[in-house]
């Protein structure tokens, strides 16, 4: 999965869990099957735009933020985000050529023979190319048949974290699969209306902060007694979705602190902190 797809999957799973909707309930109340929802929420396939809207409807959640997430994920999934610019159109307007003088006497037969030879060569080339195309068509796998085959049943929450402790320091929580099923240590709404949360993954032994409902230019920082990692709202896409910091290694009993700095010059810095619970003996 791309980082954008992982963000979407995390948001969908949080929304589903908050609404208390099972896969069977989703299948009964939407046009999509239980197996389809399992693939969407496991990150095995990108959900249709309408499926995202249906989940928001059932959870009584405005769909603007999740649809913006879907747009970003779909652009990377389909390759549109990295599509090269199209070449400028060529000028296909007819061009006039100067009239050629008539051929000398006695050359007509030779030119006719050359034309016949070109026709024969062109025909042979067409047959060869056509044969190669048919052979490739027969040898290549049928993509539609592959898509029609039933996918193997996936185990929910089967994506394992890719780092732990110091190995997660300063790294992306979504790319390293630490953002699936984390704990929320603290939630806070700022004076500007933005939300910030402190997140913690026990499996990764690391914490990070995320924010949404922001404005372009806002900044979020997180620290756990070591380096500080920040994230800035750079554009309207960032402002329409979650933006999160890199991870900081956190041991049980440590304190994590997140601070939000609004873009406005008169905006005050606001902070929230939480303590990671010690591991039970």
């Amino acid at each position: 999965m791309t980082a954008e797809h992982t963000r979407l999957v995390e948001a969908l799973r949080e929304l589903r869990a908050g609404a208390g909707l099972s896969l069977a309930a989703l299948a009964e109340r939407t046009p999509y099957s239980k197996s389809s929802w399992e693939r969407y929420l496991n990150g095995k396939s990108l959900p249709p735009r309408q499926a995202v809207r249906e989940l928001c409807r059932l959870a009584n959640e405005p769909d603007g933020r999740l649809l913006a997430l879907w747009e970003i994920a779909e652009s990377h999934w389909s390759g549109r985000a990295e599509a090269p610019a199209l070449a400028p159109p060529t000028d296909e307007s007819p061009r006039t050529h100067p009239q050629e003088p008539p051929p000398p006497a006695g050359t007509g037969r030779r030119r006719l023979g050359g034309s016949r030879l070109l026709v024969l060569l062109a025909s042979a080339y067409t047959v060869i190319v056509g044969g190669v195309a048919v052979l490739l068509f027969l040898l290549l796998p049928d993509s539609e048949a592959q898509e029609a085959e039933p996918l193997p049943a996936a185990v929910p929450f089967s994506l394992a974290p890719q780092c732990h402790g110091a190995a997660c320091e300063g790294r992306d929580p979504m790319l390293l699969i630490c953002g699936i099923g984390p704990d929320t240590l603290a939630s806070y709404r700022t004076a500007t209306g933005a939300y910030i949360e402190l997140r913690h993954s026990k499996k990764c032994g690391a914490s990070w902060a995320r924010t949404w409902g922001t404005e372009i230019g806002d900044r979020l920082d997180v620290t756990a007694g070591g380096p500080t990692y920040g994230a800035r709202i750079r554009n309207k896409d960032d402002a329409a979705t979650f933006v999160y910091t890199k991870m900081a290694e956190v041991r049980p009993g440590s304190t994590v602190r997140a601070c939000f700095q609004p873009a406005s010059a008169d905006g005050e810095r606001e902070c929230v902190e939480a303590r990671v619970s010690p591991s039970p003996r």
Side-chain angles (χ1 to χ4, degrees):
M1 289 191 296
T2 63
E4 292 75 15
H5 188 191
T6 303
R7 291 186 192 180
L8 175 63
V9 169
E10 181 193 7
L12 291 175
R13 292 173 70 155
E14 287 185 350
L15 188 60
R16 172 208 161 196
L21 294 168
S22 65
L23 294 178
L26 289 173
E28 291 175 359
R29 302 168 68 180
T30 68
Y32 306 97
S33 66
K34 182 178 177 180
S35 60
S36 295
W37 279 112
E38 188 274 332
R39 292 197 301 273
Y40 302 156
L41 297 172
N42 247 1
K44 298 195 68 174
S45 62
L46 186 73
R49 179 186 176 91
Q50 186 59 32
V52 176
R53 298 189 66 179
E54 290 289 333
L55 180 55
C56 291
R57 177 182 63 82
L58 294 176
N60 293 321
E61 181 78 10
D63 58 16
R65 178 175 62 85
L66 278 177
L67 289 180
L69 268 176
W70 181 89
E71 291 286 353
I72 299 171
E74 193 277 335
S75 66
H76 286 79
W77 180 279
S78 63
R80 289 188 294 108
E82 301 176 0
L86 296 176
T90 57
D91 183 9
E92 297 182 355
S93 57
R95 299 180 180 177
T96 58
H97 299 278
Q99 184 176 3
E100 298 180 358
T107 62
R109 182 177 299 275
R110 287 195 304 249
R111 297 187 66 175
L112 180 59
S115 299
R116 289 178 179 175
L117 179 59
L118 289 176
V119 171
L120 290 175
L121 290 175
S123 300
Y125 177 77
T126 302
V127 172
I128 293 172
V129 172
V132 172
V134 172
L135 180 61
L136 289 176
F137 178 79
L138 293 175
L139 292 178
L140 287 175
D142 187 353
S143 59
E144 292 185 0
Q146 286 183 341
E147 291 179 357
E149 294 178 359
L151 294 173
V155 179
F157 306 98
S158 61
L159 297 174
Q162 304 297 304
C163 69
H164 181 80
C168 297
E169 187 76 39
R171 303 181 70 182
D172 192 308
M174 302 305 163
L175 292 180
L176 296 179
I177 321 299
C178 295
I180 294 182
D183 295 327
T184 299
L185 301 178
S187 297
Y188 180 75
R189 186 176 185 181
T190 68
T192 62
Y195 290 88
I196 57 177
E197 283 185 345
L198 279 171
R199 310 281 275 171
H200 178 72
S201 171
K202 294 179 181 178
K203 293 182 179 180
C204 292
S207 295
W208 64 96
R210 71 174 182 176
T211 183
W212 69 96
T214 53
E215 300 291 339
I216 297 175
D218 292 348
R219 181 178 176 84
L220 178 67
D221 295 319
V222 68
T223 183
T228 298
Y229 301 105
R232 184 176 295 277
I233 312 303
R234 298 165 299 177
N235 49 47
K236 62 180 183 180
D237 290 335
D238 286 350
T241 184
F242 289 117
V243 171
Y244 53 91
T245 68
K246 303 296 184 182
M247 291 185 286
E249 179 189 9
V250 179
R251 292 185 173 88
S254 301
T255 298
V256 189
R257 179 182 177 89
C259 292
F260 179 85
Q261 179 64 55
S264 58
D266 57 346
E268 296 184 0
R269 180 180 175 89
E270 300 178 65
C271 298
V272 61
E273 62 180 33
R275 184 169 177 265
V276 177
S277 300
S279 301
R281 294 182 180 179

